[in-house]
Amino acid sequence: MKKDIQISYEYFKNSSELNDIEKKLFERAKVARENAYAPYSEFLVGCSVLLENGEIYSGNNQENAAFPSGLCAERTALFWIGANFPDQKIKKIFIVGGPKEFSEKNPPIPPCGACRQSLIEYETKQNEDIDLYFSSMNDEIVKVNSIKDLLPFTFDATFL
Ligand code: THU
């Protein structure tokens, strides 16, 4: 029997279509991207996170000469927030990525599989969906209203 899974997403042609808080998150993610430590890949990713108390925190990718020891921008931010604000719900996450020398052709950069798994952990933990936006430096933006839209057939704590 064939079954389908449906996911939905929103597409913004450019950042002028964003509301004020979304624009702020986009700017904060771009600043974080500039500070990424990515000398090996020269692929810079920044991420900003809005908490329920209105505070915004950010992270970026942190690479290492022993390549697997590095960490993506999303998990750098998530784990720091999890460690320091364990009771704060995450409302929105904005990711901006692309090569150091980006061109107008670079598409929006979605989170990698390992980051999706970490993201869903926090969404499950807080029992409230997270809005996630991903973009390139070329101003195109994709939004999902839940991490579940990025990770069908999710493995999470409910199976344990
Ligand atoms: N990277 C991220 O920071 N987030 C992602 O979701 C995809 C990949 C980083 C990891 C590595 O430092 C560089 O981008 C190239 O893969």
Side-chain angles (χ1 to χ4, degrees):
M1 185 198 303
K2 185 175 174 290
K3 295 187 179 194
D4 294 319
I5 292 177
Q6 207 182 338
I7 66 141
S8 56
Y9 66 91
E10 213 174 321
Y11 173 77
F12 300 85
K13 209 159 61 174
N14 60 59
S15 56
S16 69
E17 296 178 16
L18 297 174
N19 66 29
D20 286 352
I21 186 66
E22 292 168 336
K23 281 183 183 148
K24 196 168 176 182
L25 286 165
F26 191 22
E27 288 312 310
R28 287 287 298 269
K30 282 197 257 189
V31 171
R33 178 181 173 275
E34 291 301 315
N35 293 324
Y37 176 61
Y40 306 105
S41 71
E42 298 198 331
F43 190 89
L44 311 183
V45 185
C47 165
S48 61
V49 182
L50 174 69
L51 300 183
E52 64 179 341
N53 65 6
E55 296 287 334
I56 298 172
Y57 295 98
S58 62
N60 45 35
N61 49 332
Q62 297 292 317
E63 297 188 345
N64 193 285
F67 292 175
S69 299
L71 197 62
C72 291
E74 296 89 326
R75 278 175 289 160
T76 303
L78 278 177
F79 294 164
W80 188 82
I81 288 165
N84 290 284
F85 307 102
D87 300 323
Q88 278 291 318
K89 287 187 176 174
I90 295 170
K91 305 296 281 185
K92 295 177 185 292
I93 298 183
F94 212 119
I95 303 159
V96 182
K100 194 172 176 181
E101 306 299 337
F102 71 95
S103 80
E104 293 304 311
K105 287 188 194 129
N106 294 132
I109 305 298
C112 77
C115 286
R116 293 177 199 207
Q117 186 65 34
S118 293
L119 286 158
I120 203 92
E121 182 72 25
Y122 291 93
E123 190 171 273
T124 307
K125 177 189 171 211
Q126 69 183 30
N127 199 24
E128 194 177 298
D129 289 351
I130 298 171
D131 290 335
L132 182 139
Y133 306 74
F134 58 90
S135 162
S136 173
M137 297 296 286
N138 67 3
D139 220 32
E140 270 178 281
I141 297 141
V142 175
K143 175 189 180 190
V144 292
N145 292 313
S146 165
I147 311 304
K148 291 185 278 295
D149 281 333
L150 292 175
L151 198 58
F153 285 115
T154 301
F155 178 81
D156 65 21
T158 61
F159 291 102
L160 299 176

